[in-house]
Amino acid sequence: MNGRQILAIICTASIFLISAGCNTPAVSDTEMLPPKSDQSTPTITPSDEQTKALESVTPDDKTLIIYDDDGSRDGMAALLYLLSIPEISIEAVNISYGEAHPEQYIQLIGSALESVGVLDIPLGAGQDTPLAGGNPFPDWLRQLGENFWDYQLPMTNKVYPYQNAPELMISIINIQSEPVTIFLSGTFTNLAQALRIDPAIKENIAAVYFMGGAVYGPGNITNLIPESNNKVAEWNIIADPQAAKEVFEAGLKMYMIPLDATNQVIHTKEETLSWHEGDQKAIFTADLYDIMFDDYGLATVEIFDQTAAVIMVQPDLCSFEFLSLDVVTDDGDTLGQTVVVPNGEPNIHVCLEPNVAQIKQHLDEIYSIPSNPQGTPSQPSSGPQEETAPAQSESDDPVQPAAGPPNTIFFNANVLTMDENLPNAQAVAIQDEFIVAVGTDDEILGFAGADTKLIDLNGSTLTPGFIDSHTHRTTQRGKWGFSTIEESTLEWVSQGWTGLVELAVDSDQIKEMIAADAAGELHTRINAYLIVNTFGGDPLGDWYQQYEPHQQFSPYLRIAGLKIFIDFDSGRVQLWTQNDLNEFIRERQLEGWHVTVKAVGMQSHELALNAYEYAMGDDLNGDYRYRIEHSVGSSDEQVARMADLGIIASIQTSFPAQIWGWEDIRNLSEEQGFDNMFQWHNYLDSGMMMVASPLNPPQLGTPEGNEEYLNASHVSVMGLLYRSVTQISPGNTPPESWMLERAALSVNELLPMLTINSAYGTFEEDIKGSIEPGKVADLVVLSADPNDISAEDMMDVQVLQTMVGGNSVYCAEGHQQFCMGVQAKQEAGFADAVGTWYAVDSDGSAMTLEITEQPDGDFYMTYIDDGARACITEGDGNAPTGVVATGSGKADGLLLEISEAACKCDNGQKEFTFLISFTYELEFDVVSDNTGVNWERR
């Protein structure tokens, strides 16, 4: 530790003095006493000389803290407390695996921090699995964490940027000139991973303070799982015992605040009443505990993590023992126990006797006066903005949305929710970009307010947005006939696709996507898998490391993971050795990357399964969600193995009929056995998770060469359902009998593969994929329920509306009444748009648009362009003088259109007419036109 190895327990002032130097340790490690026996054990107290030495430190010195929690209520209270200490500088806030899902909960943390004026602390989210083994928190508790413990956070409508937590930890530690203190109030997963990746960070870690474990007293597993036989473990340890063991053995200065101490610090509601008189952070903390007192009916509460934080700041408020501790990692009734090792080398300073009265007094002093927030509030980050879901009730019955009446209610609908707890409904309420209630018409319409838009779907079918789980629609858009990403996404939302999982994104393509996203040109959500090698196997280096695993650029663009091509020539040629693939996937897993591989034939499946199993190590039940793309040929044994390992089969469900005519596929069938091809029914029967997608253009080439694959009967949602149910070929050849027996799927089987399963495939089932309160309003309105019609009628089903995040991104012609907000806009007419709008063309010429309301109630407009760039480009290239384009037209629906704007040049060289259209958006009071010009009022 670069010469500054200080024992925090010998300092009577706050821990913030440690990093500046507490230079007079009174007791060496060898002087610490052995583990507790039947005899009384002396404790260590600081001396007056040590106090004087500490008091010489200047008040500008701050302790650098990395806060790492697992998504707990008392962890949030600890964070608010630390933010109230001016001498503390929180360098990062990380969320680890534990009480909540890190990637979802970090967004709640971002909102919570913003609510108290903290906008500049880097955020990190760790993997949502333990390093190995462990006992996960109950699902009901994790769900409560996802609701932020029933506390109503402000609606910020943002995505808060975050990084991979272990990498963030490493970065912060390495760039600091002073040692960093780690505060852990959850599992040890993030710190253990950071130490695996860069063991050298130990040299710049001043100390690790953690709440966790039980030394001489009982554990707390039975508090949540009464039937458990484990009476000795504590949750922060048992959730990932391997991680705790590795950190215990890392040689760090460690200070443990176990249940032995925290169980003694108990608060009543009366003791927290004065906190409501403090600043925002104090009130926030008091409100968190009020929920426990008032809503849960508790008379007293332990303040586990907050106690640990107080003792870190004021280490003189507890007496410590220096013990040799180990963690039990073997399965059984003692898994996760922190055990004292007789005659072992002491490795952890353990707080056993906290000064309860002084801890409570200290908290009252902090929370009863205004405190300085962490740093100085800055402007919000210019990074991606996201939605933060409103809290939702755990009740089965719909409840009034907490934020007031919803913006919009769809009713009189046939709602297919994909929620197994409520498969069907009649009405859905939406607030901003989120679903806030689902139920019957009577239930949901009762939530309407005076300004709620009521949209009668007249029996139409409402489904979650559909997700294409394997596509190249934007990266290979040229083969689909599109020149820009925006053009392609506009086409796909018209077919009902609200999400695309792009499965082969290279360095240039992700930059294109980022640019398109920043320009607002993505109309469907994109999950990008970055490629590590080419289709033919050429390595591309570690270019992907410039990005973070699961990096979220905006609500529309996210990095899902890495794609590895492991075979070629329909699976006949393997592009990796087994050992190389094993090590590569294992290394990427430790870095937090999600991995998928392209595997067509049986040999490729064996290669992939061996590598995945190797990467999982001893923890075969971890939440890895490894994928196999295409998965055309697999043996019965491999199918069973895929299911056992939790592999996701990412299949093109219409493949059998669509590619059976390809010669190399028929040859592959002969080579590996016909019965091993297209085992979709076997996959279903095995319980394997399956996600679906339509056929992509099969070969490189022009749109004309792929024309039969590009029409809606193949690549639209309804086209995919039709081809997958019937297995009718592109040339409309009837299916062979084996296709129906082995691979034809029902609509009921297919719909989850295109919605909730697809969201699960990218670790997003908590925010999309079904129609449930708290999830984003990605919805599709269909003219009929595909479950209730014959296969022959499927292609007649229309997509009437596609909605992404509560915004209507597609509305079928003649069905504007179904589209969100359209009715309200039409009722208002264009009265709000009446007036004069101005813009400047790219040639610098002034343009004017005059919108007027006529006596008959129609709206007309007049358009004038003093430079008329269109005249110049249509002429001989010379810029004539006195060029003017004029036109007038009638408003229709949302569209203002001039069908014949005359362009005239005063030299008579060119006269022609052209079409120009304008769109007015009522909510934003914005006019834009079809040439990309934005207009504004003056």
Side-chain angles (χ1 to χ4, degrees), residues 654-736:
S654 56
F655 249 17
Q658 290 182 308
I659 68 172
W660 186 241
W662 299 359
E663 183 177 356
D664 63 333
I665 294 297
R666 289 180 177 269
N667 291 340
L668 181 67
S669 172
E670 294 177 2
E671 294 163 12
Q672 67 176 23
F674 174 71
D675 290 342
N676 295 318
M677 300 288 285
F678 308 113
Q679 296 209 67
W680 303 166
H681 287 184
N682 197 359
Y683 285 5
L684 279 173
D685 293 342
S686 73
M688 190 188 309
M689 176 61 68
M690 301 168 67
V691 298
S693 59
L695 180 67
N696 285 275
Q699 306 293 338
L700 294 175
T702 65
E704 292 76 17
N706 290 306
E707 185 173 356
E708 66 176 349
Y709 293 94
L710 298 178
N711 64 57
S713 72
H714 299 279
V715 298
S716 69
V717 172
M718 294 311 304
L720 174 61
L721 294 179
Y722 170 69
R723 299 288 175 187
S724 302
V725 169
T726 64
Q727 293 298 326
I728 292 177
S729 74
N732 292 321
T733 302
E736 298 184 25

Side-chain angles (χ1 to χ4, degrees), residues 30 84 142 273 313 342 399 427 668 736 881 900:
T30 58
S84 301
R142 302 192 86 192
L273 289 177
V313 171
V399 296
L668 181 67
E736 298 184 25
T881 59
E900 292 188 356

Side-chain angles (χ1 to χ4, degrees), residues 476-499:
Q476 298 180 12
R477 60 186 178 275
K479 294 197 299 179
W480 304 80
F482 302 112
S483 59
T484 68
I485 291 178
E486 182 170 31
E487 287 179 3
S488 68
T489 60
L490 284 170
E491 171 62 26
W492 307 134
V493 294
S494 75
Q495 297 180 4
W497 301 108
T498 63

Side-chain angles (χ1 to χ4, degrees), residues 235-432:
W235 275 107
N236 287 344
I237 305 296
I238 197 174
D240 195 347
Q242 180 61 38
K245 184 179 181 68
E246 290 181 18
V247 175
F248 276 30
E249 296 173 351
L252 295 163
K253 288 287 183 182
M254 298 187 66
Y255 302 91
M256 176 183 186
I257 299 85
L259 291 177
D260 307 60
T262 60
N263 282 347
Q264 300 178 50
V265 187
I266 298 173
H267 268 71
T268 64
K269 184 173 182 178
E270 288 70 25
E271 290 175 304
T272 63
L273 289 177
S274 63
W275 300 359
H276 287 283
E277 300 172 6
D279 67 353
Q280 283 180 301
K281 295 181 285 297
I283 296 170
F284 195 162
T285 305
D287 288 343
L288 287 173
Y289 288 120
D290 279 352
I291 293 173
M292 301 182 72
F293 292 126
D294 299 335
D295 294 358
Y296 303 164
L298 300 180
T300 61
V301 295
E302 297 90 351
I303 54 172
F304 303 99
D305 300 340
Q306 198 170 28
T307 297
V310 170
I311 291 171
M312 179 179 71
V313 171
Q314 297 281 355
D316 56 311
L317 298 185
C318 192
S319 299
F320 288 77
E321 291 185 23
F322 198 25
L323 304 179
S324 177
L325 295 181
D326 197 6
V327 178
V328 175
T329 56
D330 295 329
D331 288 337
D333 293 340
T334 60
L335 175 67
Q337 182 181 10
T338 46
V339 294
V340 177
V341 181
N343 302 317
E345 183 72 19
N347 59 340
I348 297 178
H349 305 279
V350 183
C351 164
L352 293 171
E353 298 295 335
N355 189 324
V356 176
Q358 289 191 27
I359 289 172
K360 291 184 176 183
Q361 180 182 346
H362 172 75
L363 286 172
D364 286 342
E365 291 171 352
I366 294 297
Y367 286 148
S368 62
I369 58 175
S371 60
N372 297 321
Q374 165 81 32
T376 301
S378 61
Q379 293 299 314
S381 166
S382 59
Q385 304 296 300
E386 175 197 14
E387 48 251 334
T388 301
Q392 53 180 302
S393 167
E394 291 194 19
S395 169
D396 292 335
D397 298 323
V399 296
Q400 174 71 43
N407 304 130
T408 303
I409 291 177
F410 290 111
F411 68 99
N412 191 18
N414 171 37
V415 184
L416 307 180
T417 67
M418 300 300 126
D419 174 10
E420 61 182 12
N421 295 317
L422 182 68
N424 300 97
Q426 294 176 311
V428 176
I430 296 169
Q431 186 128 22
D432 299 322

Side-chain angles (χ1 to χ4, degrees), residues 382 384 511-522 553-554 556-557:
S382 59
K511 291 175 183 176
E512 260 192 324
M513 290 179 181
I514 293 170
D517 179 44
E521 296 172 354
L522 300 185
F553 299 97
S554 81
Y556 283 84
L557 181 61

